[in-house]
Amino acid sequence: MEFESLQEAAQQHGSPLYVYDANQMKANYQQFTEAFKDVEHLKVHYACKALSNQAILKLFKSMGAGLDCVSIEEVQLGLHAGFPPEDILFTPNNISTEEYEAAIELGVKINVDNLYTLEYFGMNHPDIPIYIRINPHLMAGGNQNISVGHIDSKFGISIHQVPNIERIVKKLNINVMGVHVHTGSDILDPDIFIKAAELVFSVVEKFETVTHIDFGSGFKVAYKPDDLHTNIGSFGQKFSKAFNDFCEKQGKSYTLEFEPGKFMVSNAGYFVAKANLIKQTTSCTFIGLDTGFNHFIRPMFYNAYHHIENVSNPTGEKKVYNVVGYVCETDSFASDRIIPEVRKGDYLVFKNAGAYCATMASNYNSRPRPVEVLVHNDDIHLIKRRETIEDILKTQVSADIDY
């Protein structure tokens, strides 16, 4: 996206703000589906936890995507955005039976990731087809917080517990329509997916009722200029062959499913913040922004790198800065970062801010969450207004307490 569009959005709506490029999201979706053109039946469920604004959900629905949801609230958002229940896959973790019952009532597809819940469905809802999430015991991902398929992970039913799954399914006559696996995020090596596929195929073979095989997501995107990333074209070709070979072996046409979130929206998002001050100390020069990890937590939470550029002075003399925020914590976005000279009032942009950024924002320090805008064909659309102190107070109740 051009710096002029980012600066115009900031001038129109103030900072900090998130800016999303609709055309880039469309291009990402088309690139992904094209990579698997050799598969007869493909269904892409957009992982809405990455970015759950209604405008974004409606954009992916318009392209034919389904929705991957991890909470009943995300399911409700998806239905509100117009997704039919059958296009929503509910893949929660460690939730109550009451939340499962709410999902059943809404009619969405349900993914089960523990033996207790598997038995619950068999005894209470044997007529409802379900997915089963398998933990393949594969360590994969760019950070331990996003590696979810290893032996100590809380996600999924262990691959070594498949005999238990078989016993429960047979005893309770459960209709297993899908088998699901997700190993982690920021995975560069396509062989991880191939290894997971081999394990999943061995599970699928045990259940004649299976019609859908879901491989989650986790494709690595480029965060730095010239950064390594998953070549989705070559991966799709390689993986499609493995999948088609399995279908041929089984004499059955399965639906191949993926749940990309970051791949779809990461490079389509920009976080724009303004320099409140430039502070020189004995050891470094700080850029103090009008935001903090309450709005943009990935650098602190995941030690994630986000490329930073000076929108207001892109050709200025390059200097070394530490970029920090304004909350009452050590909220460092970047250290020893080379950026064109920054002056008070300049706008800085953090790239790759489409995934797991706005959705992880909070009201820490009682700060309102940022504006979100969507740029579509050069037009800037407000899709979430800036919160106010009234919004923060709205859910607080003035209890009649005699202190």
Side-chain angles (χ1 to χ4, degrees):
M1 182 177 294
E2 299 294 330
F3 282 175
E4 289 79 6
S5 296
L6 296 172
Q7 191 148 345
E8 182 182 354
Q11 290 167 347
Q12 284 185 21
H13 299 286
S15 66
L17 79 160
Y18 282 97
V19 182
Y20 307 123
D21 185 343
N23 290 337
Q24 183 63 61
M25 294 182 193
K26 290 180 180 179
N28 293 343
Y29 184 83
Q30 291 164 1
Q31 181 188 16
F32 191 91
T33 53
E34 178 66 18
F36 297 94
K37 64 181 185 299
D38 293 335
V39 173
E40 183 178 3
H41 300 295
L42 173 71
K43 184 65 177 181
V44 176
H45 292 92
Y46 166 62
C48 70
K49 60 183 177 288
L51 178 57
S52 56
N53 189 292
Q54 288 284 291
I56 305 304
L57 301 189
K58 290 177 180 179
L59 173 63
F60 281 103
K61 178 182 177 296
S62 73
M63 293 186 287
L67 206 62
D68 167 55
C69 299
V70 297
S71 69
I72 195 65
E73 289 79 11
E74 286 188 350
V75 169
Q76 292 164 342
L77 285 175
L79 293 171
H80 188 267
F83 285 90
E86 61 271 19
D87 273 355
I88 297 177
L89 179 60
F90 182 44
T91 304
N93 179 249
N94 294 331
I95 65 168
S96 66
T97 52
E98 289 78 10
E99 190 166 343
Y100 274 116
E101 289 292 340
I104 291 169
E105 185 69 22
L106 294 174
V108 298
K109 296 184 295 186
I110 295 175
N111 198 356
V112 171
D113 86 332
N114 62 84
L115 295 176
Y116 170 84
T117 304
L118 183 63
E119 290 182 339
Y120 177 85
F121 269 84
M123 290 186 284
N124 295 277
H125 301 285
D127 55 324
I128 295 179
I130 61 169
Y131 285 59
I132 294 177
R133 179 173 181 172
I134 299 296
N135 180 339
H137 293 189
L138 291 174
M139 175 62 81
N143 181 288
Q144 64 178 2
N145 291 335
I146 51 177
S147 297
V148 298
H150 56 83
I151 193 168
D152 293 321
S153 173
K154 68 172 185 171
F155 298 94
I157 304 175
S158 168
I159 189 71
H160 299 308
Q161 292 180 305
V162 170
N164 291 352
I165 297 174
E166 287 185 273
R167 176 180 56 81
I168 294 170
V169 167
K170 183 177 180 181
K171 178 68 176 178
L172 301 178
N173 197 29
I174 298 172
N175 182 356
V176 182
M177 72 173 294
V179 175
H180 174 279
V181 67
H182 178 60
T183 56
S185 297
D186 281 356
I187 300 171
L188 184 61
D189 184 1
D191 287 339
I192 291 292
F193 284 93
I194 300 297
K195 290 177 182 177
E198 292 170 353
L199 292 171
V200 169
F201 291 156
S202 71
V203 177
V204 171
E205 290 175 338
K206 300 179 183 299
F207 303 103
E208 293 183 359
T209 54
V210 171
T211 54
H212 295 67
I213 310 177
D214 191 320
F215 290 95
S217 184
F219 308 104
K220 188 181 186 315
V221 300
Y223 283 99
K224 304 176 183 179
D226 301 320
D227 197 8
L228 293 174
H229 61 280
T230 304
N231 184 325
I232 201 66
S234 61
F235 167 78
Q237 186 177 21
K238 184 175 182 179
F239 194 90
S240 296
K241 183 180 185 308
F243 181 81
N244 288 336
D245 287 347
F246 176 72
C247 290
E248 184 176 353
K249 173 188 171 185
Q250 296 296 104
K252 184 175 180 179
S253 182
Y254 296 93
T255 296
L256 173 63
E257 296 181 336
F258 286 101
E259 301 159 5
K262 184 184 294 184
F263 180 89
M264 293 298 175
V265 297
S266 179
N267 68 342
Y270 303 81
F271 184 56
V272 182
K274 185 167 64 176
N276 280 338
L277 55 85
I278 313 301
K279 180 178 180 178
Q280 181 71 53
T281 71
T282 56
S283 61
C284 65
T285 303
F286 287 106
I287 303 171
L289 300 178
D290 64 347
T291 186
F293 74 63
N294 53 323
H295 297 156
F296 195 70
I297 199 172
R298 291 192 80 254
M300 278 63 72
F301 189 45
Y302 294 126
N303 195 30
Y305 177 97
H306 287 266
H307 194 60
I308 303 172
E309 296 190 28
N310 187 344
V311 172
S312 303
N313 188 29
T315 60
E317 180 183 355
K318 292 183 178 180
K319 297 178 178 294
V320 179
Y321 297 101
N322 285 6
V323 185
V324 297
Y326 66 179
V327 300
C328 192
E329 302 281 353
T330 301
D331 58 344
S332 178
F333 296 111
S335 298
D336 297 329
R337 192 68 65 86
I338 299 174
I339 304 171
E341 183 181 8
V342 179
R343 306 150 303 184
K344 179 181 177 181
D346 280 357
Y347 291 115
L348 299 190
V349 60
F350 295 77
K351 293 189 172 182
N352 282 96
Y356 305 102
C357 294
T359 54
M360 297 180 79
S362 75
N363 293 125
Y364 185 54
N365 284 182
S366 296
R367 296 284 191 180
R369 285 175 291 185
V371 166
E372 295 177 53
V373 301
L374 180 68
V375 178
H376 183 242
N377 295 333
D378 297 325
D379 294 325
I380 299 173
H381 302 272
L382 179 67
I383 61 174
K384 183 180 180 182
R385 66 169 175 81
R386 190 177 309 283
E387 288 181 332
T388 64
I389 189 63
E390 288 75 23
D391 292 318
I392 294 173
L393 287 168
K394 191 175 293 183
T395 58
Q396 297 184 24
V397 178
S398 296
D400 186 14
I401 301 173
D402 184 6
Y403 293 109

